[in-house]
Amino acid sequence: MRIPTTSRYSDITPTHSGMYPNGYPSVNSASTSGYQQLLPLPGEWRTVVPESSLLWNAVQQLSFNEQVEPEMPLAIILAATAIAAQGLYNVHLPNHKTRPLSLNIKVVAASNERKSSSYNHVMSIIHEVEADYQRQYVKLVADYNAEIKVLNAEEKAILKAIEKATKQGQSTAALNIKLKEHREVEHNPPRLFQLLYQDVTPEAYLEGLSRDLPSGGIITDEGHDTYKGALMRRMGLLNNLSDGEWVRTSRVSRETTRLAPSQGVRSSALWLTQPAPLEEFLERHGEMARATGTLGRWIICAPRPRQGGRLLLHDQQYDWSHWEALKARIKDLVKANRVLTLLPDSPRECLQLSEAAARDWVQLHNECEQQCQPGGRFEHCLDHGGKLPEIMGRVAGLLHLIEGGEGDIQRETVLMAADIVCAFSDHFQRVFLPPPQPIQDAEQLDQWLDQLRNQNLQVVRHNFVRQCGPNRLRQKHRLEAALEILIAQNRIVPLYHGRTRYLNLKPHLQIFLPGGTH
């Protein structure tokens, strides 16, 4: 996934011919004259990002300054924005459904790929606001406790007066009314401003959503602990929370916690994990996770590794201006959740798609649906393909808020959301639907060769690759199969000097060895 930085949107102007009278494209509409597909192909980026995009400029700065692949900060920023916005906004989609802006995002990367560094940059925004309001919460609790003491003393006095009047044979009607009115006055404890939950049980999380803010995010930068925790045994709970549906849980020793959509309950998740714990979880519970639709609801970010190629310059300059501007925008969204501590049932603003954006979303929905047919792109991951259109709508709503959009969501935003979601769809399929072994080997070899390229090496001996390359590719037949794939992809070009074989790692910079051929 490469994030473009050019200055205008590409001219995608689909003609909506080849459609049924109700506006839905026919199954064969992709081959109809005048019909232009909107769903990006695997590895394709259809829209061109404007120079004014705050999101993209901030992502580029984080990527450059932290030396991580851009999709990692992009995924974490989307998660933070979802947590900040889901309690305040919904998005209305053209299928006449109003959906939350909640997202579940999983970042899969090896140790030392700077997951935690990227996480801390972004999530510190929410932590800072939480810490500020939680300091105020301490005073509110003290005031509330003092108020309760006064109320208890007043009730005790009323009860004492009733007891005295009863003993004297006097009427207690007025006192009874006073006691009833006193008890009917609501004295609710202050709500803790908490959006982020770590290392939490399902029961504690639901209790927090019911007692404090009705919006939250389950986050972890140690995903292997989460896979072994109680949350993964409650996959249906995660699904219902993500969809804003009814949730009910109870224990023998506790009261039942029941959360309804009308209460504004919203939940997102961001899990940072290494590949090995995820693979172990999939071996044990992957079939159940797919059957329940849990995996299909997740955005997967699995960036290429950067370790070994993160070189520093002694005079390197770091610019954080765009990131600081985006940080301020997300911070404003987080602060706006303060209203939920006072009015937890506050109605959410519903974001609408413009007419052109709605038409594009319908077309993207139907193209995703068509790709779920036998032979289609999502044939082997129907749970995932079926959820993509809704996720595109949610991401479009978040992009609209990030970029400070006014009025309806525009078609350029929907197309950008489609590009982002489809790019992460490629990651999803790479993680959960791995390609044949030779292709996996070729990808691992190319990543290893990238380390040499980053050291400005252009030509290496074939035997050096065989002796020093990835361990599993030191078997001759596997190495040769991987090399053939990379040669076919023009990632490398073989060269010969006498009887010695070399590899040109940068084919766009052709080189001829003295007296040799290529």
Side-chain angles (χ1 to χ4, degrees), residues 81-253:
T81 308
I83 293 170
Q86 64 187 1
L88 308 170
Y89 296 90
N90 286 329
V91 61
H92 185 74
L93 299 178
N95 59 359
H96 304 296
K97 292 183 179 180
T98 299
R99 308 306 295 151
L101 293 185
S102 309
L103 293 178
N104 292 333
I105 297 179
K106 198 178 303 248
V107 178
V108 185
S111 177
N112 203 29
E113 284 299 327
R114 301 186 176 173
K115 300 187 298 296
S116 295
S117 177
S118 299
Y119 168 92
N120 290 333
H121 266 296
V122 180
M123 287 298 170
S124 64
I125 305 170
I126 301 179
H127 284 300
E128 289 171 5
V129 177
E130 282 184 332
D132 183 38
Y133 285 147
Q134 286 171 9
R135 283 190 290 270
Q136 300 176 34
Y137 174 76
V138 174
K139 183 179 183 303
L140 293 174
V141 170
D143 292 344
Y144 171 77
N145 290 335
E147 181 185 355
I148 292 299
K149 288 182 179 179
V150 172
L151 293 172
N152 289 339
E154 290 176 350
E155 180 172 327
K156 186 176 181 180
I158 296 172
L159 291 172
K160 189 174 181 181
I162 292 174
E163 181 181 2
K164 182 178 179 180
T166 302
K167 288 181 179 179
Q168 295 176 352
Q170 299 174 354
S171 172
T172 62
L175 290 171
N176 290 337
I177 294 174
K178 186 176 181 180
L179 177 63
K180 181 180 178 183
E181 291 175 346
H182 185 277
R183 288 178 172 176
E184 285 178 348
V185 176
E186 290 190 13
H187 301 283
N188 296 320
R191 291 176 178 266
L192 177 66
F193 189 96
Q194 181 173 4
L195 285 170
L196 303 182
Y197 291 79
Q198 293 178 283
D199 190 24
V200 64
T201 64
E203 292 73 34
Y205 185 48
L206 293 179
E207 184 178 348
L209 293 177
S210 175
R211 181 192 60 215
D212 298 315
L213 286 187
S215 176
I218 303 173
I219 60 171
T220 175
D221 56 0
E222 296 294 342
H224 57 277
D225 292 335
T226 304
Y227 291 128
K228 298 176 182 178
L231 276 172
M232 295 314 299
R233 296 192 293 272
R234 299 287 303 279
M235 296 182 190
L237 170 64
L238 294 176
N239 296 346
N240 291 342
L241 287 172
S242 175
D243 294 340
E245 296 179 356
W246 282 86
V247 174
R248 179 175 179 174
T249 184
S250 60
R251 290 292 181 271
V252 173
S253 59

Side-chain angles (χ1 to χ4, degrees), residues 4-9 48-57 322:
T5 57
T6 46
S7 62
R8 61 181 177 81
Y9 285 99
V48 179
V49 178
E51 290 180 352
S52 60
S53 171
L54 178 58
L55 173 64
W56 296 118
N57 288 327
H322 295 297

